[in-house]
């Protein structure tokens, strides 16, 4: 079983829809939670970053972390065709000699105009 | 523009050949990473370096080696390429405890 599970999609929605993207994880040591967006044939770019539990809002994007359930979400309001991309969740702990992120496999989102 | 530069962008390689993927950053980040990205498997860590002069193994290190002679450069070497190493390779760097990674544009490698 992977440490981070993410539904690969694809997820197809009409323009203006609310999108919900989710990840579950198994490692209770994870403290930092991030969402990256990756356009086709490009490198991932940071979209949202959250420390520990709670919500964070940035424009049309809201990130939620529920550590008790080991579940994180990304909501996109008023989705636009330019939001069409693959969304990767990522997380890390505070411990380790290896300060790398563990990624989900990514969810491909297509917003139809 | 500050960031990470990877080279080559794309390469086709015969099996058994040696290949080095180059990665240079100009942000003076201490930590650097190499990931490979494969369909359905996401990004998997190959090797990492927390600071110049040190390296460590990630999730899928076999068949790869790295060096970190200075802060800016972190090359990834495939000593004898095999078809299963066909992938997109991303170099990344980070600074600080939150481990927010900045990625390069990737190197697409095909091993025949």
């Amino acid at each position: 079983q992977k440490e981070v599970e993410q539904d690969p999609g694809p997820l197809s929605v009409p323009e203006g829809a609310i999108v919900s993207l989710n990840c579950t994880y198994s490692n209770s040591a994870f403290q930092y939670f991030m969402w990256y967006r990756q356009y086709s044939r490009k490198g991932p770019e940071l979209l949202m970053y959250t420390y520990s539990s709670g919500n964070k809002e940035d424009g049309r994007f809201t990130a939620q972390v529920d550590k008790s359930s080991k579940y994180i979400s990304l909501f996109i309001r008023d989705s636009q065709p330019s939001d069409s991309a693959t969304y990767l969740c990522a997380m890390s702990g505070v411990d380790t000699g290896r300060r790398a992120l563990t990624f989900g496999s990514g969810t491909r989102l297509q917003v139809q105009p | 523009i500050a960031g990470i530069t990877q080279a080559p962008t794309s390469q086709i390689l015969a099996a058994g050949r040696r290949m080095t993927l180059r990665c240079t950053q100009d942000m003076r980040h201490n930590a650097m990473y190499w990931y490979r990205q494969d369909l359905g498997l996401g990004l998997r860590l190959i090797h990492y370096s927390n600071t110049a002069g040190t390296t460590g193994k990630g999730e899928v290190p076999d068949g790869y080696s790295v060096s970190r002679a200075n802060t800016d450069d972190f090359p990834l070497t495939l000593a004898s390429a095999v078809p299963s190493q066909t992938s997109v390779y991303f170099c990344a760097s980070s600074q600080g405890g939150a481990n927010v990674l900045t990625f390069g544009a990737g190197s697409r490698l095909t091993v025949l």
Side-chain angles (χ1 to χ4, degrees):
Chain A
Q1 185 183 0
K2 294 181 183 178
E3 271 192 301
V4 180
E5 297 280 357
Q6 185 175 9
D7 187 332
L11 180 62
S12 183
V13 301
E15 184 175 352
I18 296 174
V19 176
S20 173
L21 304 167
N22 312 292
C23 288
T24 59
Y25 63 95
S26 58
N27 188 342
S28 58
F30 287 146
Q31 295 283 345
Y32 299 98
F33 303 91
M34 296 156 214
W35 287 94
Y36 281 79
R37 179 174 60 195
Q38 185 177 22
Y39 291 112
S40 181
R41 303 184 81 88
K42 302 288 187 183
E45 55 179 354
L46 182 69
L47 192 59
M48 298 285 284
Y49 155 72
T50 310
Y51 173 69
S52 195
S53 283
N55 294 357
K56 185 171 184 178
E57 187 173 324
D58 184 0
R60 297 184 295 112
F61 299 90
T62 300
Q64 288 186 351
V65 175
D66 181 350
K67 290 188 67 182
S68 63
S69 301
K70 295 189 178 68
Y71 188 87
I72 70 171
S73 300
L74 177 71
F75 297 97
I76 306 174
R77 292 182 299 280
D78 187 26
S79 56
Q80 302 295 310
S82 58
D83 295 328
S84 297
T86 296
Y87 290 80
L88 301 151
C89 63
M91 46 200 80
S92 71
V94 294
D95 60 358
T96 65
R98 187 192 87 182
R99 287 152 37 200
L101 295 176
T102 300
F103 284 85
S105 56
T107 300
R108 190 156 60 90
L109 172 67
Q110 184 71 35
V111 180
Q112 304 292 345
Chain B
I1 299 175
I4 294 179
T5 301
Q6 290 186 237
T9 302
S10 180
Q11 182 77 43
I12 298 173
L13 188 67
R17 297 297 296 268
R18 180 183 179 89
M19 178 73 194
T20 295
L21 304 180
R22 300 184 297 278
C23 175
T24 300
Q25 55 114 348
D26 60 3
M27 299 172 285
R28 308 301 293 173
H29 285 175
N30 285 331
M32 296 188 74
Y33 314 85
W34 275 104
Y35 285 86
R36 60 177 289 174
Q37 187 173 37
D38 303 287
L39 194 63
L41 298 177
L43 286 157
R44 293 181 292 167
L45 182 68
I46 305 171
H47 285 287
Y48 67 96
S49 169
N50 285 340
T51 189
T54 69
T55 63
K57 293 182 179 180
E59 185 182 353
V60 288
D62 294 344
Y64 305 95
S65 63
V66 292
S67 61
R68 187 88 184 277
N70 57 61
T71 297
D72 298 341
D73 300 299
F74 191 44
L76 176 74
T77 297
L78 290 68
S80 178
V82 296
S84 62
Q85 292 177 313
T86 294
S87 187
V88 182
Y89 292 87
F90 287 100
C91 180
S93 69
S94 72
Q95 184 79 351
N99 302 342
V100 173
L101 269 58
T102 299
F103 283 87
S107 293
R108 188 173 295 268
L109 182 66
T110 301
V111 182
L112 301 176

